[in-house]
Amino acid sequence: MKQIKAVPPYIHPVFLNFKMGAFDAWKTLGGSIADSHYPMRKLHSFFFRYELPYVKKFTKNKDARLCFVEPVSITFDTFPSYMTHEIIPFVWDCWPCHFEKMCTWIEKHNVRTAIFTSSQTAELMQKRFPDLNVLFCPEGVDTTKYTEGKLLKDRSIDLLEFGRSNEKVIPAGTFKDINHVSTKVGKTFIFNNEQLYEAMGDSKVTICLPRSITQPEVAGDIETLTQRYWECMLSRIVMVGHAPKELINLIGYNPCVEICGDSSDVKRQISDIIEHIEDFQVLVDKNRVVALQYGDWKNRMCQVMDFLESKGYKCS
């Protein structure tokens, strides 16, 4: 069996790397770890754009590297392992505009096993490469970071918006007459993580929409489960928006209040939910229990390890 060693994602001095949760779960479960050797910061631009030639071809006896990647930064995320080892890419954000780039990289580096956080992308990759070992692994989260917060009736923030902008669906200024908090001003985040976690535990409603709705020019028709849904479920916030099929299929029900109509209808819908907020306490309580059961990255990594070992790899 070929030994797999996971490479720690790059740790940015300012921004969090959302791929760390998956790596930390792998490590917690006893998965083998490799040292990372990312280039110095002044060389980052070069290694985002270009690859170096192979130092030597990997062999059957060489261990493999599990790398947590995005197609947009695939050469950086796998540096320098792509020169010396078999790479097993764990892939986020393989949007239609990056699909062919990812396919080219898979062919170039003789990838035989790959993991994707989108079920639609996994299916497309399996069709393109019938002999590729493909696993769909939906995004998870570190559930220990999120508290249940206050009861809905005791929360002070009516509507919390965080993450990607919803302005293509709900124009700015729609919610002027309620206590509406946004974690972003322009393109700048004004909350640190601790402030965000606190705000989530004190918010009644949030808007949850997949990128296929908020940024269709990027995501196309790729509708996928992201960690935002788990964060909101764990924090017992009423989610108004749209639940990806991946989430519904995984947990067996729709945890969201589906959005309806145009922006004026959405405003009335959210205002009505806020007015009758106690009616949604049972739903958010259930959402938290289910998120604790299904949402943790450790659950995902158990599945990943079982899959890899079934394909002839050794994880621990």
Side-chain angles (χ1 to χ4, degrees):
M1 298 178 74
K2 182 176 283 191
Q3 179 71 56
I4 299 176
K5 294 184 178 180
V7 180
Y10 176 71
I11 300 176
H12 194 278
V14 177
F15 303 109
L16 285 178
N17 189 327
F18 59 84
K19 299 186 283 286
M20 280 301 300
F23 171 79
D24 288 340
W26 172 276
K27 185 177 180 180
T28 298
L29 292 170
S32 295
I33 306 299
D35 292 332
S36 61
H37 300 281
Y38 295 106
M40 61 182 70
R41 280 188 59 78
K42 65 182 180 181
L43 297 176
H44 282 192
S45 178
F46 175 87
F47 285 101
F48 264 84
R49 296 181 182 181
Y50 305 107
E51 285 188 357
L52 297 179
Y54 289 110
V55 174
K56 57 182 177 181
K57 295 287 186 180
F58 52 79
T59 68
K60 288 192 296 183
N61 296 322
K62 198 79 174 177
D63 56 7
R65 293 290 185 261
L66 177 65
C67 295
F68 303 91
V69 309
E70 298 168 76
V72 70
S73 55
I74 185 72
T75 56
F76 179 84
D77 292 337
T78 58
F79 177 84
S81 299
Y82 64 74
M83 295 187 289
T84 56
H85 293 79
E86 175 189 352
I87 302 294
I88 301 172
F90 195 130
V91 188
W92 278 258
D93 296 346
C94 189
W95 307 118
C97 56
H98 302 311
F99 186 79
E100 289 302 326
K101 177 181 179 180
M102 192 70 218
C103 289
T104 299
W105 196 91
I106 286 173
E107 288 181 312
K108 179 179 180 180
H109 292 278
N110 302 312
V111 173
R112 65 188 186 95
T113 304
I115 304 163
F116 298 90
T117 62
S118 162
S119 59
Q120 291 170 274
T121 302
E123 290 173 4
L124 291 170
M125 282 294 178
Q126 192 70 84
K127 289 180 181 178
R128 176 67 73 90
F129 303 107
D131 296 328
L132 182 67
N133 299 318
V134 175
L135 176 67
F136 158 56
C137 178
E139 281 193 39
V141 73
D142 179 354
T143 58
T144 64
K145 293 182 177 179
Y146 303 91
T147 67
E148 63 181 21
K150 303 173 184 177
L151 292 173
L152 290 175
K153 66 182 180 64
D154 297 326
R155 299 189 176 199
S156 64
I157 299 172
D158 291 325
L159 175 65
L160 176 69
E161 286 194 82
F162 66 103
R164 291 188 308 274
S165 171
N166 300 304
E167 286 190 9
K168 284 194 174 181
V169 181
I170 304 165
T174 300
F175 302 106
K176 287 182 178 179
D177 55 347
I178 64 173
N179 185 12
H180 174 210
V181 173
S182 177
T183 63
K184 236 178 174 184
V185 174
K187 295 184 178 181
T188 303
F189 288 98
I190 59 173
F191 280 38
N192 59 32
N193 283 333
E194 289 69 28
Q195 291 170 326
L196 175 60
Y197 299 152
E198 183 178 354
M200 292 174 73
D202 193 30
S203 299
K204 299 172 184 174
V205 178
T206 192
I207 297 170
C208 277
L209 296 166
R211 198 168 190 173
S212 55
I213 293 177
T214 59
Q215 291 182 312
E217 70 280 6
V218 174
D221 62 352
I222 301 296
E223 177 191 279
T224 191
L225 167 61
T226 59
Q227 71 178 44
R228 177 190 293 192
Y229 289 89
W230 297 127
E231 291 173 333
C232 294
M233 291 172 71
L234 290 164
S235 303
R236 299 197 301 175
I237 308 176
V238 179
M239 298 183 293
V240 178
H242 177 65
K245 289 181 181 178
E246 293 174 357
L247 176 57
I248 295 173
N249 291 341
L250 179 61
I251 66 176
Y253 72 99
N254 188 342
C256 294
V257 178
E258 289 289 320
I259 208 166
C260 58
D262 58 21
S263 59
S264 59
D265 294 323
V266 173
K267 181 179 180 180
R268 284 192 295 271
Q269 185 181 18
I270 290 177
S271 296
D272 185 64
I273 291 171
I274 293 169
E275 186 177 349
H276 302 92
I277 196 64
E278 291 184 66
D279 295 346
F280 295 87
Q281 191 66 53
V282 172
L283 173 63
V284 297
D285 289 347
K286 177 181 179 180
N287 285 350
R288 178 171 171 82
V289 171
V290 169
L292 288 169
Q293 181 180 357
Y294 290 98
D296 201 281
W297 266 121
K298 291 190 287 295
N299 296 339
R300 300 287 177 276
M301 280 302 155
C302 285
Q303 298 166 0
V304 168
M305 288 177 167
D306 288 345
F307 169 79
L308 293 173
E309 290 181 356
S310 75
K311 300 302 179 183
Y313 297 96
K314 182 180 179 183
C315 298
S316 58

